[in-house]
Structures are given as C-alpha cells and as structure tokens.
Amino acid sequence: MEEPILTVRNLNLKFSLRGQTLHALRDVSLDVYKGESLAIVGESGSGKSVLTKCFMGLNDQNGFIESGSIRYKGEELTQFRKESDWLRIRGREIAMVMQDPMTSLNPLRTVGAQILEAIELHQKDLTPAQAHRAMLDMLSAVGIADPEKRSRQYPHEFSGGMRQRVVIAIAIACRPNILICDEPTTALDVTIQAQILALIKQLVKERGITAIYITHDLGVVANVSTRIAVMYGGDIVEIGTSEEIFYDPRHPYTWALLSSLPQLGVKGEKLYSIQGTQPNLFAKVQGDAFAPRNPYALEIDFVKRPPMFEISPTHSARTWLLDPRSPKMEPPQIIQKLMRREVSLRG
Amino acid sequence: MKGPFETKKRRLEDSVNAAVEKNLSREEEDALFTPAPFDPTAGEKTGYSNYSYWRSTFRAFWHNRTALVMLVVLVVLVAFTLLQPLLPGQYEANTVNNNPLTGIQLQNQAPSTTTSYMTVPAGTVLLGEKLNDDWYAVSNVASVIKKRQKFTLTQYGPDWCTVEYNGTTGYVKNNFQTSLKLPEDPENTPYQSYSNFQLQMYTEPADMTNGGESLYAAASDLTPLGDGRFETAGATELRTMPSRSPFLFGTNNIGQDLWARVWSGTRTSLWIGFVVAVFEALIGIAVGIVWGYVRALDRLITEIYNVIDNIPTTIILILVSYIMRPSISTLIFAMCLTRWLGMARFIRNQIIIIRDRDYNLASRCLGTEPTRIMLRNLLPYLVSVIMLRMALAIPSAIGSEVFITYIGLGLDVNTPSLGNLINEGRKLVTSASLRYQLIFPAIVLSLITISFYIIGNAFADAADPKNHV
Amino acid sequence: MRLSILASQLAAFSGRHGQNKRPPEESRPGSKQPKPLGIGVSALLVLPVAAAILLSGSTAGVKLILLMLLGLLVGFVYIVIERRLVKYTLKRLLGSALTLFIIVAVVFILLRQMPIEGYFDNFDKLNETQVNVKLKQLGLTQPIYKQFWDFLVKLFHGDLGSSTRYSAGTPITSIIAKKAPISIYIGLMSMALSLVLGIPLGAAMARSKSGFWDRFGTVFIVLINAVPAAVYYIFIQMYGTSWMGISMLFDRNNWVTWILPVFSMSLGSIASYAMWLRRYMLDEINKDYIRLARAKGVPSRRLMFRHVFRNAFVPMIQYIPASLLYTVCGSIYIESLYSIPGMGGLLVDVIGRQDNPMVQALVMIYSCIGIVGLLLGDLLMAVIDPRISFVKKEGVR
C-alpha cells in the first residue's frame, strides 16, 4: 500500500471526571491510507468514537492528550491549541456523519441553509447563486427528490433516513479528504440502513474520499470496509484487511465478536455472547484488558500487556497467543469454520 | 477532589506496577505461558456497580463548599433564632424601654455591645440615689445652678471653673455651651458671675453623667459614705440603663429593643415560610395525585390550573390580603392559594411518567411491583424536587411577606416580622444615623433567604444523577 | 454552583408550557415556511424604536407606533392563516376570554364583600339615611348579579366606574390615562436596559462556563433571586441617591432622577434573562446539531451566534409580549419608593385609602394584562418556532 494520509502513534488520551481520570485511549497506533475504507469496530465505550474525534479536535474540554502523535498531511494535530488550526481541518479535510439524524440538524434552520453553510465555509470562491446551485446539486446527489422545494423545509419535515441523507450531504459539501461515519445507520430502520450505506459507499468512491466507519455492527463492516481495526478497552487489539479479520482472526476478542454474529449462529445452538462488561478505565488496566472475560487467557495476560504481533504486513494482533512460547489454542468451532471459509458472511 | 496524598499513593502504585512489568525475567515470563483458569464472573467485577444514589447525592453536596458554608450559617441562624428568647438578659420584643428616672422612651439608641457609658476608677466619689436593690442612679452633679442665679467663680480655667454656690464648692464645665464670661482681669478671682441658663455643678472636674442625666451603677460596686455619697469599690462601669444587657442592635423610634425584635421577627417570618412550604407540599402532592390518577378529573383540574396560573401571583396576593384582615394566617392563606400549583403540576407529571416512561414500562414488564418502581425509580427524584421546592418556598414566602407589608397590608408592628421591621426601617432612611434600623433586619433577612436559596439549589444539583459521575 | 438544574426544574413547573396550550399536531409536509426568526427579531426591534418615539412625546410618534403595531398584527394574522394555526389561535383566544370573564366575576364578587366605607369619601360625617341614599345611588343595594351585569355593560363602554376616596368622583379611566404613560416610559426603558445587559451577560456566562463571567453572573443571579426586591431597591435608593448627590424623589423633568428607578427595575429582569439564556444556551451547546456544525468547520464565534444563541433565544421570545404589556402596570416598589406618579404607586395608594372601585379596577387591569401577555407570548411562539405545530415536546410537560 501507499503512504498513509493519517498516522496515529502511541496515542494516550485521558478524561478527567470529578477528580478521577479515565484512560480512554491507551497507546493507540493506527495508519489510515488514502482511498481506503477503514472500519473501527468495538463495543460502545471501547474508545472508537473518542479516537476519531481526536482527528478533528472535537473531544470534550475535560479530555486531554497525554502523549502520542497524530500526523495528517505533515501537520501534528496533537499540537493544535488554537481554534483556527482546527478550522483548517474540520470539514475541509475531515468531515463527519453522526449517529442520530433526528438530532444532528438544527431544528430552526432550513435544510438548504444548513447545507449552504457548509458550502460557503469551504468553497469561498463561489458566488451566492453558484453556492445555491451547488447546494441543490448536493441534495440531488444524496437522492432527495425535488431539491428546490425540499431545501426550503425544516428538518422536522423530513423522515429519519432523509435527514441522514441531508447530514451526508452536509459532510460531502465540505469536500473533505476523509469522511468519518460514526455509526451512521444505528438509529435508522433496518430497511433504510442498506440504502444509506450504499449511498455513502457510492459517494465516497465517486469523490475519492477516504472513509472511516465506526460501528459495533460487523454486518455493516462486511458490506463497506476494506480494512478493519478491532478496538477493546481503549486500544486496537487487531487490525487487518477485511478478509484477514473475517477469515483469519487471531485475537480472542475478535473470535468472540465474530462468534456472537447472528449470521454465523448454528441453528438450534445458543448464540454466543461475551460474558461480563468492559474494563473500568478509571482503574489502571493490568496486562491484557480483555483477559478477565477471555476463556483463552494465559497467566501472562493478567500480568503483562501483550505487544503487537505481526501476522502479515497488513495484519497484526495484540495477544500473547501469537507468542511462540504460548501453548497451542484451538479457536472456537465457528471461527475454525470461518477459517476454512465454510461459512458465508454475506448471506 | 484529589488530595496530595492520593496523588502520591497513585504514583507509588504506578511505579510498583511498572517495576513488576519490567522486572519479569525471561524465565518468569516463560512460566506464565500457561492457560489461566477462566472465571465467568471475573468480567463483571470490572464494572461500575458500586453506586448508591443517596451516598452520591451526599458526596456531591459535600463537595459544594459554598453550600456547606451556607448550611452552617443557616443552621446557626435558625438555632439562634429559636434559642434567643431563652438566653439570659434578653428584652421583650414589644416592651417599650423607658429611662426609669425620667420615664422618657429610650428611642433611637444607637447599636452598642454594652450599656456601659463610661468606667470610673476605684475610689471615685459619686452622688447616688437608690433605684432598687441592685442598681443606683449615680452622677457627680453636686447641685444644679438654675437660670439667672448669681454665683462666685473662684478659679477660672479654659475647661473647668471652680465655683461657689449656695455655700457649696464645685466645678462647672466651661465650654462653648456654658461659656462663662471672662472678667476684665482674669487674675482677679474670685468674682461674681451670672448664669444665663441652667448649669450643673460637678463634684470634680469630670463629667460622670450622660449629658447631665444620671447613670446607673450596680449596688455591689458602691460603698456608701453617707448623705447620698458613695465611693466606688473598684473600677466601675456607669451604665445608661439599670441593666447589664445591651441594646445590641439599638432601639427603634419608640424605644423597643431592635435585637429582640429582629429575632422575634425572624421567628415569625421563618414560621410563615415553613408553614407555607409544608402546605405547598401537602396540597400540591394531594392535588397532584388526584390530578394524575383520576383521568376523569384531568381535564377539569387542568382548566382550573390554567385559570389560576394565568393570573399574576402578586395580584392574588394583594387581593386576598386586601379582603381579609391582616394576620399571619391571612398571609399564609394568600400565599398557599397559588403556590400549590407548581407542586401539583410536578406530581401529576411524575404520575404520568410512572405510567408512560420507557424505563418504568420496562420495569413493569419485568414484573416489578408498582411500589418498588415508586421507591426505586421515582422517589429519589421526587424527594429531591420536593425538597428543592420547599427550600425555595421559604425565601420566596419571606419575600412575599415583605412585599405585602410594604404595600400596607401586612402584619401590624406588634407582631414583629422581618417584613414590617424592614418597612419601619425604610421610613427612616433619610436620616443616616438611623439607618441601622433598616440594615440589621435587612442583613438577617438576606442571610436567611440567600442560604435557603443556595442550599436548595446545591441539593438539587447534588440530587441530580447526571452529576454523580 | 450550578443553576441549570434549578432552571430545568423550574421549566418543568412553569405554567407556560401548559397542557392544553399546545397547538394541534398536524403534519403538513411541503408547506412554505416564512422566515420565523426574522419576525421575532423585527418584533424586538420595534421595542427600542417605540421607546424612543414615546420619549419624544409627539402625537405623530404615537400614531406611528400604532401604525407599527397594526403592521405587526397584520403580519401576525397572515402567518397564523398561512401556517394553519387558525384553529389553535381561536381556541386560545376563547380560552383566554373565558379566563378573563371568570377573573372579572370573582374579583367583582369578592370586592362586594368589603366594608362599605370604601365607597365614601366622608363616611364618618354621614348619618344612616345619607349612607343608604348614596349606596342606592351607586346601585349597591341591587342584587349582585344585577350589579355585575351593569358593571359589564359599563365596561363595554369603556367605563370602569369612578373613584370614591382617592380622588372622589373622577372617572377611573381618566385617572389611569394620566398615570399610565410614566409607568410605560420607565418600564420600556428598564426593559430595554435589561435586554441590553441581561442577554450579553447570559451569553457570556454560557460561553465561559465556570470562568469569570459565569461566576460573576451566578453570584449576581443568586443575590437578585434570593434577596427580596424590597431590600435591594431600598439600598439602591439609599446609597445611590446619596452617592449621586440627588434627591430621593423622582422628578420628571430631571433626567438624572430617572437613572436609579430604571436601573433598579431592570435588575430582576437582567438576572432572569441571563439565567434563562445561559440555561437554554448550555442546553443547545450539548445538542448533536451543534457538534455536527462544529465538525463541518463552523468557527466557534459564528457557531455561538448563528446556531446556539439564535436557537436559545427562541424560547425567550415567548416572554417578551407579557413583559411589554406589564410595563403598563409599573413597579409597585419602585414607584412608591421614588414617589413616581405612575400605576404601581397608584395601587398602593388606593389600597391605603381603601378606595374599593379603584382597587377593583386596578386588580382587573393587572390580571387582564397578565392573561393577554401570556396569550400573545404563546401565539408568538407558535408563529416563530417551525416545530411547534409538529413535534410533541418530550419529557415533563
């Protein structure tokens, strides 16, 4: 692959909450390559949203980057202090689609005005008439019929799916290089989800935008992404191409995630679910964060944090199971079937 | 809040952990590559389950320093208000204090921490008159030289002159008021002089009177010397009142002790506020429950609510006070007439929430008993809001009392309340020396209302689960 | 200390979001929307202009104001029809009329129970026959429903009766006509002042959460809300006048004496504007659409003004008609403290003199103004907020 456009190295981010410190990102490293579709997968609270918000400086005031670096186009984002720095990035370079379309539009401004605002902010050379034209084009590009009329309406006159299309239109109207889609379909009806995903996929492809999907839904991931990063407890535990993650998963957490996919469940058998809850990030995590919930845990998992083991140039995982000293562990049945590609994911 | 100790402790833990991680030798590490026993409950242990609503509420309140300070202030104030009549040496709030000799009201006495007017050293000779077993009225006025009397000036000085009058010798003040005339030859004393107005002849060149009036000394401090003369046994305080209790806040324009009136007024006002708050809660909760539960009445009560709610509260307050006779119960009635509305509405909404909110619906679907839903899901929120409303009802009832008194419909002055004390004080603001009669009640009133307000809000903040992170 | 919670709870209690006041829910996709905020802002702009014209005191100016009000009314009616709020408006109008009627009746009946001295300016000097003659003359011997009917008939002819003690025999309407303008001047000026100071204060508080302005504003709000108004009014008068070296009494022709009354009167509204705006703005800041706007690169200043402030201000517009109308009533405290010959002082005066017809008339006027103010506020809100005829408000209502 080519050079990454966004590089994250050993990022540590903490939140201070009422005198306590929450270690939200623990030593995260990640590369994002131009034109790819990267999916970041994890349970809620695993830090996936926090990580992407770092790229845009959108984390809450009480969050602070303790160490590490985020480099984008030769600029060090962790050094940004002033708002004017971030304004060069937000929208213009990296744009975002949020989870809940019902609340992510200003209820008191027309849909058209809200798209127009994005266009005016990022394409300053347009005349008002051109900008208006661009806004209408944007609306039709996201599949809204009769844009002239619809642009004069307020968000409450739109359905959920339509609103998400508007949100996407706003994000695309900024002409970003990277589009972060933060659970773009979670709040939508299942029937609409596929449409919205297809729309994003198509727009991203047409315009050569790098996409980062954040989701807890592996079904979504399978549809759209070329590469997958699995996050757990504020850390990336496994990263690889979609093929590698689905058909050659190495981390027990990835196994657990895949096993709990209903599509993979065997008829008549109880669907697998991961026991327990996520680690308390207020406390210091000792060893592997997943160890307490991991039936495959080794003694060392409770003592020492595993390093990233590289399986292939594109695939690596953070588990002691990959250490040569580790005893041979058999992955669960379903995973073994997956590895033999006996199960289709896209059914 | 994180103390330095906590930080230190954490640092220590971190370094120990780091040492453990680093110092694992190769062999030790190798030994650890064995499957660990899997405990399905271990995963649960890491969760955040040690949450208790009331403990968190208390903790959040505890961390609000301002509110804590105000709480202490309030507790002290209220306790003092209640205990004040039991303290020794207190005046009655409605007693008019007169000077026992002259019978004149001790009006507009400036605030003072003592009634002591001056202290005289031991061995001072004073003329005294017995007032009662404990007190003597004392002065050092030997006699009074009436107007247009001749007397002999034996020695002329700039401040004091020695005079002879009616065969007695004494001292007379020589100041701008008495301005005893200088003879042509001042050395040529004694000479005859003439009083243009009444003069006082003192036994020694010192004024041990209160502007010519007698002062009061305790009997125990005086040794009788015969024919009405006394000698002080030790350093003796001469007082303006035959009492050791001072007028701490001074007296008002008819000589009532402002200190006693302020605390008595605070009792009245707090009582009004408290009763209004209780009635607000009781009526509000009762109406709210009926409103929420009886669906047939919902429409009717809503209409009544809208009508009453549409009228400005002040107007209702004025109208009711105007029609009824001014008294504490009138005030309470007038205030309760509108105040229950908010509470009733709140309770009604809560009841509807019990029915309709998703988490309660979910709870019911899981088979939770309604009583448990009430206790667990609703009561904490309910209690905190009722407490907030009651805490805020007290200052606002006190404010309404001040308002009603201000427009002339409140309690009469024989029932001191903070309202009529302030109203009385207000009439005197033109005279700067009498402003204390406004300032003292105003300070006590503000302290009470501010502390109730701050505590109420701090409690509401603390009781909000959103702040229990 | 955080006031937000208090505010949210008060919001839950405040009767302004009354149950049956909500407009009907109907869905009208595709209808054209007028620029709602424009109307709100232009309605606001009328305020200082009106105040300025009133102060200039020319009759042409008064006509101009009436013309502007008429224009606003026409616009209002147009939007009501256009946005299909007719049914809602009519329902609210009817409800308010009913409430008004009930209030007038109750006040009327209650005041009949007062001692009859309040109808005479020389009661002590009269014998029983004279008293009865006078009572008959006043129609007070008739049955109460008859009296009420007569009163209503007179009311529709713009006659509120005559004063008995305050200024014996003078029609109440002419007394009010003489007293109201000064109250309106002072009221409008203090309202303008409180908008000018309160709104920036609230915005500054929301922007600098737990910064200087937030602390300053919180202390200010706590003091103003907790301490009874009488106390700080008196203190302002006491120290303000001696500091400025002016008389404690109001003098219409000396502008310096206007400062303190106007300033004290605005303190309460400054605090409440600031408190509510802060709360509404903080509510808005935490909403998703603000995050999205920030993510699309809207600079924070623009974000604050174009999105947060505008949206937070909409719910506050609701209270403006009532505040405007209330200026007619004047402030009871301020006017009696400074001896301003306005409506607020009048009420205290007539209560002191037990002038029954005057008390009745003033109480009725005060409550009518309250009701009409709320009605206008709700209607304005319905017109301004595009969601109101659509979205069911969530949460406690």
Side-chain angles (χ1 to χ4, degrees), chain B residues 303 306 309-312 315 322 345-346 348-349 357 385 388-389 403 406 445 449 453 457 461 464 467, chain C residues 2 5-6 9 13 15 19-20 103 225-226 231 238 326 333 336-337 354 356 366 374 395-397:
Chain B
E303 288 306 323
N306 280 331
D309 189 54
N310 265 333
I311 315 169
I315 291 303
Y322 182 63
R345 203 184 137 75
F346 167 73
R348 176 229 182 219
N349 290 337
R357 272 282 165 88
V385 175
L388 168 72
R389 286 192 67 85
F403 173 74
Y406 181 88
L445 172 75
T449 50
Y453 187 87
N457 279 302
D461 272 350
D464 187 350
N467 300 333
Chain C
R2 305 217 341 254
I5 307 309
L6 163 76
Q9 270 145 2
F13 300 130
Q19 285 79 26
N20 68 345
I103 289 163
N225 280 341
V231 174
M238 199 163 87
Y326 269 125
Y333 277 134
S336 66
L337 272 180
Q354 302 217 321
N356 286 349
Y366 274 50
L374 282 184
V396 188
R397 38 158 273 187

Side-chain angles (χ1 to χ4, degrees), chain B residues 17-93:
Chain B
N17 287 335
V20 167
E21 286 199 7
K22 276 204 195 89
N23 291 349
L24 274 180
S25 68
R26 189 75 198 173
E27 295 75 41
E28 280 170 321
E29 244 187 68
D30 290 345
L32 287 170
F33 278 91
T34 48
F38 178 62
D39 173 10
T41 58
E44 307 283 359
K45 280 181 194 149
T46 54
Y48 316 69
S49 59
N50 52 350
Y51 175 81
S52 145
Y53 177 78
W54 291 111
R55 188 162 8 110
S56 304
T57 303
F58 179 75
R59 197 190 307 126
F61 188 84
W62 187 253
H63 283 307
N64 189 336
R65 293 287 154 193
T66 329
L68 270 187
V69 170
M70 290 324 271
L71 186 65
V72 171
V73 169
L74 185 69
V75 168
V76 168
L77 260 179
V78 172
F80 186 79
T81 308
L82 297 179
L83 293 178
Q84 181 265 337
L86 306 176
L87 298 178
Q90 301 294 318
Y91 295 91
E92 254 291 305

Side-chain angles (χ1 to χ4, degrees), chain B residues 158-422:
Chain B
D159 299 326
W160 290 88
C161 299
T162 322
V163 297
E164 249 181 54
Y165 173 69
N166 265 355
T168 48
T169 313
Y171 296 87
V172 168
K173 248 189 241 181
N174 185 14
N175 56 21
F176 73 98
Q177 221 178 353
T178 52
S179 55
L180 293 169
K181 274 194 212 86
L182 196 68
E184 271 87 73
D185 178 10
E187 297 297 315
N188 186 19
T189 43
Y191 57 87
Q192 290 277 309
S193 192
Y194 186 79
S195 61
N196 280 321
F197 41 85
Q198 189 171 300
L199 292 176
Q200 261 143 341
M201 192 166 77
Y202 297 90
T203 56
E204 55 184 290
D207 183 358
M208 292 174 211
T209 63
N210 176 11
E213 299 287 339
S214 292
L215 290 163
Y216 300 91
S220 54
D221 285 340
L222 300 172
T223 323
L225 298 174
D227 51 298
R229 296 190 308 137
F230 294 87
E231 194 184 30
T232 52
T236 301
E237 289 183 326
L238 305 185
R239 297 172 184 278
T240 48
M241 276 284 287
S243 152
R244 284 181 202 280
S245 328
F247 296 119
L248 277 176
F249 287 176
T251 60
N252 68 4
N253 55 358
I254 54 168
Q256 292 165 323
D257 179 30
L258 202 60
W259 168 263
R261 288 182 73 76
V262 164
W263 298 114
S264 163
T266 310
R267 274 194 296 282
T268 317
S269 293
L270 276 178
W271 171 246
I272 292 176
F274 178 73
V275 174
V276 168
V278 168
F279 271 112
E280 174 187 339
L282 289 182
I283 303 174
I285 292 171
V287 175
I289 288 174
V290 174
W291 192 358
Y293 264 115
V294 189
R295 290 197 188 211
L297 286 177
D298 184 52
R299 179 84 210 206
L300 178 73
I301 303 183
T302 306
E303 288 306 323
I304 296 174
Y305 172 88
N306 280 331
V307 170
I308 304 183
D309 189 54
N310 265 333
I311 315 169
T313 2
T314 346
I315 291 303
I316 297 182
L317 213 56
I318 292 174
L319 193 65
V320 174
S321 320
Y322 182 63
I323 291 166
M324 290 167 72
R325 195 177 294 276
S327 73
I328 294 185
S329 40
T330 303
L331 281 175
I332 293 175
F333 176 75
M335 289 178 206
C336 288
L337 217 55
T338 52
R339 292 203 65 100
W340 59 272
L341 284 171
M343 183 72 92
R345 203 184 137 75
F346 167 73
I347 299 289
R348 176 229 182 219
N349 290 337
Q350 290 311 305
I351 287 174
I352 287 173
I353 285 172
I354 308 180
R355 290 206 305 250
D356 303 346
R357 272 282 165 88
D358 285 347
Y359 60 86
N360 288 319
L361 217 60
S363 219
R364 279 222 309 254
C365 290
L366 289 173
T368 318
E369 288 164 37
T371 42
R372 195 181 152 80
I373 296 182
M374 295 271 275
L375 288 177
R376 283 275 154 174
N377 292 4
L378 213 65
L379 196 70
Y381 181 49
L382 220 64
V383 168
S384 66
V385 175
I386 290 173
M387 295 268 286
L388 168 72
R389 286 192 67 85
M390 285 181 70
L392 294 187
I394 292 171
S396 101
I398 293 175
S400 301
E401 195 261 324
V402 174
F403 173 74
I404 287 297
T405 311
Y406 181 88
I407 61 171
L409 295 172
L411 302 172
D412 77 321
V413 285
N414 289 325
T415 318
S417 71
L418 288 174
N420 58 29
L421 287 174
I422 283 174

